[in-house]
């Protein structure tokens, strides 16, 4: 790791003695007013209906609702995949998993990550003169050159994967709960970590729990806390984000800040949460905590670079199914045909609840205020849109699945995609396979089922040939597919087959990548292997 540290150290020097870790904010000349800044905030497992502006029953997102009123709200916006790593890889590359190689989640012991021959948004913007920062959950590889500091980000502060992939002393709320980290001799008795047990004392540990290795918190290449204190993580993210915005704005350099939140993924932080057995009160409190964090970032943008900063908020995928005690709200997407067949209607699946996510755009003076867009858009569009707005160029040696949505953002058009492809993200079928096709208002499923529900049960896989087809304009809940013998079905089916065949031919001829999913326990992040759970605190 020595050469890796030197590589970051060479890039990162302090700015005017401010000691902001390892970031070079210096620049010749003042570029403000020439290139816009970008703040991309990605929520984790947030349901479409968790945004109050989308669903009137939600009362916990005052700051986000204000942002919607002051900007643009998208009601037909989709994650690029229905689980963590593939969705994040697509955000940073503008490409589906069959192209960028990331088709399912990376593990604590994963040797690889987002393939190194894939170009990230941060790399493109850094080449264009931007200072780049990433705060929060990475989940695209933490070992060696897969670390965010070597994928285009000058500064990184966050956790390497989901916060349920390591034990903590404050496990927070989950159903069923996981235990706190073990403490070895000399560590002292644990006086924390019992919140979960007080909440569901009758439950046993029916899910996979990580008890051997604690969840680490990184600042650049260094683990600064292991296990991380989840109760204070949101505030730390807010502080680091506002510091980054302040330093970058003062330097005169344009900046990209990518903030990948822990909210609303379980376990929910124990900060100011009170529980009842239905689980809605802690979920609402966590939603409010996330909303406050976003509000702090927006306030900092407004105070420092309001007229020249584009803030984009969205989610990586939908929440777990509604039968889960801590599930978020997918709004109207609760009556799917698959649910009626005994399956799951949300995360990992390609039903609307799994990938239709909240999305907001905020840029005073540029994005029109209080506008609702019905354009069919995707997380895939963030890469080409930001690159275009920055005046940079897309890599020319590969194809992209996203589009430049600038005309929609500026209020000039309501035209987005005609076609979107929803890959398998852990349900039935092969990882990454394009088994669901969105064609204008129609949606076709070739495979359904196979997703694991919160109770641990897996719905039976179902193959559909010819495919199930729904008309989302008339049936957004996907409750009843079109009759196969109907005129509408007969008209749509050939078009679905044609666009699916065309994209598969295009992918076959493209420059594609293959992620390394091999595992090796030696790559597990551990700041002190001589202590139980790798405990250390350097902050």
């Amino acid at each position: 790791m020595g050469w890796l540290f030197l590589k970051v150290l060479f890039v990162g020097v302090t700015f005017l003695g401010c000691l902001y870790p390892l970031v070079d904010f210096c620049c010749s000349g003042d570029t403000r007013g020439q290139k816009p800044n970008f703040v991309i905030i990605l929520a984790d497992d947030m349901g479409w209906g968790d945004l109050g502006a989308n669903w009137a029953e939600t009362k916990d997102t005052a700051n986000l609702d204000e942002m919607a009123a002051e900007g643009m709200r998208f009601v037909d916006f989709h994650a690029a995949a229905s689980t963590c790593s593939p969705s994040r890889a697509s955000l940073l590359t503008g490409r589906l998993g069959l192209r960028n190689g990331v088709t399912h989640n990376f593990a604590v012991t994963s040797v690889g990550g987002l393939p190194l021959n894939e170009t990230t948004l941060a790399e493109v913007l850094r080449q264009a003169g931007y200072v780049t920062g990433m705060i929060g959950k990475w989940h695209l590889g933490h070992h060696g050159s897969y670390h965010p500091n070597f994928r285009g980000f000058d500064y990184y502060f966050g956790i390497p994967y989901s916060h349920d992939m390591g034990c903590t002393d404050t496990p927070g709320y989950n159903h069923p709960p996981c235990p706190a980290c073990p403490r070895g001799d000399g560590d002292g008795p644990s006086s924390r970590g019992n919140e979960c047990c007080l909440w569901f004392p009758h439950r046993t540990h029916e899910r996979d729990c990580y008890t051997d290795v604690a969840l680490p918190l990184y600042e650049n290449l260094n683990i600064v806390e292991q296990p991380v204190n989840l109760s204070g993580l949101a505030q730390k993210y807010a502080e680091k984000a506002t510091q980054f915005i302040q330093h970058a704005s003062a330097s005169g350099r344009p900046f990209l800040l990518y903030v990948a939140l822990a909210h609303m993924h379980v376990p929910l932080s124990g900060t100011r949460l009170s529980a009842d057995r239905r689980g809605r009160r802690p979920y609402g409190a966590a939603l409010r905590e996330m909303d406050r964090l976003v509000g702090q970032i927006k306030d900092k943008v407004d105070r420092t670079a309001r007229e020249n900063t584009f803030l984009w908020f969205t989610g990586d995928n939908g929440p777990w199914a509604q039968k889960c005690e801590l599930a978020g709200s997918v709004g109207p997407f609760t009556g799917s045909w698959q649910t009626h067949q005994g399956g799951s209607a949300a995360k990992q699946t390609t039903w609307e609840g799994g990938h239709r996510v909240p999305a907001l755009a905020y840029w005073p003076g540029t994005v029109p205020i209080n506008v609702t867009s019905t354009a069919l858009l995707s997380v895939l569009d963030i890469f080409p849109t930001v690159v275009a707005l920055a005046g940079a160029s897309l890599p020319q040696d590969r194809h992209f699945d996203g589009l430049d949505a600038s005309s929609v953002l500026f209020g000039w058009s309501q035209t987005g995609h005609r076609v979107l492809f929803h890959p398998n993200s852990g349900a039935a079928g092969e990882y990454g396979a394009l088994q669901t096709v969105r064609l204008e208002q129609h949606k076709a499923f070739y495979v359904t089922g196979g997703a694991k529900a919160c109770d641990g049960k897996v719905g039976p896989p179902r193959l559909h040939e010819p495919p199930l087809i729904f008309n989302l304009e008339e049936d957004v809940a996907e409750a009843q597919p079109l009759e196969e013998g109907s005129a509408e079905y007969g008209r749509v089916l050939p078009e679905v087959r044609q666009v699916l065949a065309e994209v598969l031919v295009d992918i076959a001829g493209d420059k594609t990548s293959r992620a390394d999913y091999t595992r090796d326990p030696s790559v597990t992040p551990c700041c002190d292997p001589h202590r139980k759970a790798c405990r250390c605190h350097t902050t």
Side-chain angles (χ1 to χ4, degrees):
M1 285 291 289
W3 70 272
L4 296 176
F5 180 78
L6 290 174
K7 183 178 177 182
V8 172
L9 188 62
F10 177 77
V11 172
V13 296
T14 60
F15 172 62
L16 297 181
C18 67
L19 300 180
Y20 197 77
L22 302 180
V23 183
D24 180 10
F25 289 105
C26 301
C27 182
S28 57
D30 189 341
T31 61
R32 284 175 294 186
Q34 299 177 17
K35 292 184 177 182
N37 308 308
F38 302 99
V39 178
I40 300 167
I41 303 178
L42 187 72
D44 197 342
D45 287 10
M46 183 180 181
W48 187 91
D50 284 341
L51 177 66
N54 283 346
W55 197 241
E57 295 179 12
T58 301
K59 308 295 184 183
D60 302 308
T61 57
N63 291 294
L64 287 167
D65 296 345
E66 180 181 276
M67 189 186 304
E70 296 175 350
M72 184 174 289
R73 177 173 64 100
F74 304 93
V75 293
D76 204 358
F77 196 94
H78 298 263
S82 298
T83 196
C84 302
S85 295
S87 185
R88 292 155 202 275
S90 291
L91 185 156
L92 290 176
T93 65
R95 287 154 54 89
L96 287 166
L98 287 184
R99 299 186 198 270
N100 65 39
V102 181
T103 57
H104 53 291
N105 285 342
F106 294 105
V108 173
T109 55
S110 286
V111 173
L114 176 64
L116 300 179
N117 59 328
E118 289 294 316
T119 302
T120 70
L121 176 61
E123 289 170 328
V124 173
L125 263 61
R126 190 162 69 175
Q127 286 292 320
Y130 279 70
V131 60
T132 57
M134 195 255 162
I135 292 170
K137 170 181 166 179
W138 175 239
H139 213 169
L140 291 174
H142 53 271
H143 178 59
S145 295
Y146 296 101
H147 186 281
N149 280 137
F150 308 114
R151 306 315 303 270
F153 290 103
D154 299 312
Y155 177 69
Y156 172 61
F157 182 86
I159 56 177
Y161 31 68
S162 295
H163 63 287
D164 64 343
M165 295 172 65
C167 64
T168 67
D169 290 336
T170 54
Y173 295 104
N174 204 348
H175 186 77
C178 279
C181 285
R183 289 183 179 270
D185 294 340
D187 288 334
S190 175
S191 60
R192 302 155 72 184
N194 294 319
E195 301 159 277
C196 61
C197 303
L198 293 174
W199 188 25
F200 291 120
H202 60 289
R203 292 302 299 265
T204 58
H205 304 305
E206 300 171 7
R207 57 186 294 270
D208 294 332
C209 293
Y210 294 77
T211 57
D212 295 333
V213 179
L215 181 70
L217 177 65
Y218 278 83
E219 187 158 37
N220 294 315
L221 296 179
N222 299 317
I223 296 176
V224 295
E225 188 178 60
Q226 192 172 11
V228 62
N229 180 1
L230 290 182
S231 297
L233 189 59
Q235 188 55 38
K236 285 183 179 179
Y237 283 174
E239 291 170 358
K240 295 296 184 179
T242 55
Q243 288 171 14
F244 182 90
I245 293 169
Q246 178 63 44
H247 294 315
S249 298
S251 75
R253 290 184 63 184
F255 65 84
L256 165 69
L257 175 61
Y258 168 41
V259 183
L261 305 177
H263 301 75
M264 297 298 298
H265 199 295
V266 293
L268 302 178
S269 166
T271 304
R272 294 182 295 276
L273 300 190
S274 58
D276 63 8
R277 290 188 179 273
R278 291 189 302 272
R280 293 305 304 173
R281 286 173 59 194
Y283 191 90
L287 197 57
R288 290 190 295 274
E289 182 180 65
M290 181 201 71
D291 183 69
R292 285 191 295 269
L293 193 165
V294 175
Q296 287 179 265
I297 295 173
K298 177 181 176 291
D299 287 347
K300 187 63 178 180
V301 166
D302 285 342
R303 292 195 303 269
T304 57
R306 175 182 171 88
E307 303 298 330
N308 199 38
T309 301
F310 175 31
L311 196 159
W312 204 331
F313 174 90
T314 188
D316 70 334
N317 50 248
W320 290 105
Q322 275 60 41
K323 64 184 70 173
C324 303
E325 283 80 354
L326 291 179
S329 171
V330 295
F333 317 117
T334 58
S336 77
W337 181 88
Q338 180 66 15
T339 302
H340 297 316
Q341 303 300 311
S344 170
K347 186 174 177 178
Q348 291 188 325
T349 77
T350 55
W351 300 102
E352 290 295 288
H355 55 76
R356 192 183 291 222
V357 291
L360 304 172
Y362 173 77
W363 189 355
T366 302
V367 171
I369 64 171
N370 201 23
V371 170
T372 298
S373 172
T374 59
L376 178 59
L377 295 175
S378 167
V379 165
L380 289 160
D381 305 327
I382 292 176
F383 184 106
T385 302
V386 169
V387 168
L389 292 173
S393 299
L394 292 173
Q396 298 299 304
D397 61 344
R398 64 202 64 188
H399 298 169
F400 295 87
D401 298 292
L403 56 78
D404 176 6
S406 299
S407 61
V408 177
L409 292 170
F410 298 156
W412 302 339
S413 170
Q414 282 281 11
T415 302
H417 292 265
R418 177 174 179 263
V419 180
L420 275 182
F421 300 96
H422 301 300
N424 172 40
S425 299
E430 296 182 11
Y431 284 125
L434 305 182
Q435 298 168 174
T436 304
V437 181
R438 172 74 182 270
L439 175 64
E440 297 176 334
Q441 78 268 29
H442 291 97
K443 188 176 175 186
F445 292 81
Y446 283 92
V447 182
T448 59
K452 187 176 181 179
C454 291
D455 59 7
K457 296 179 181 179
V458 177
R462 299 173 184 270
L463 305 181
H464 306 284
E465 182 54 60
L468 297 175
I469 299 180
F470 296 84
N471 185 332
L472 297 183
E473 282 189 356
E474 300 175 357
D475 180 19
V476 72
E478 301 168 298
Q480 186 62 49
L482 300 177
E483 292 289 339
E484 290 183 14
S486 69
E488 183 178 5
Y489 187 97
R491 175 178 57 81
V492 174
L493 180 59
E495 294 185 67
V496 167
R497 287 179 166 160
Q498 180 180 349
V499 296
L500 181 57
E502 288 173 350
V503 75
L504 293 177
V505 169
D506 184 73
I507 291 171
D510 192 13
K511 178 181 179 180
T512 59
S513 303
R514 183 183 295 273
D516 180 2
Y517 279 100
T518 60
R519 299 188 184 189
D520 183 344
S522 68
V523 306
T524 301
C526 183
C527 62
D528 189 348
H530 301 293
R531 300 186 68 190
K532 275 197 173 184
C534 299
R535 287 184 175 275
C536 73
H537 292 271
T538 63
T539 55

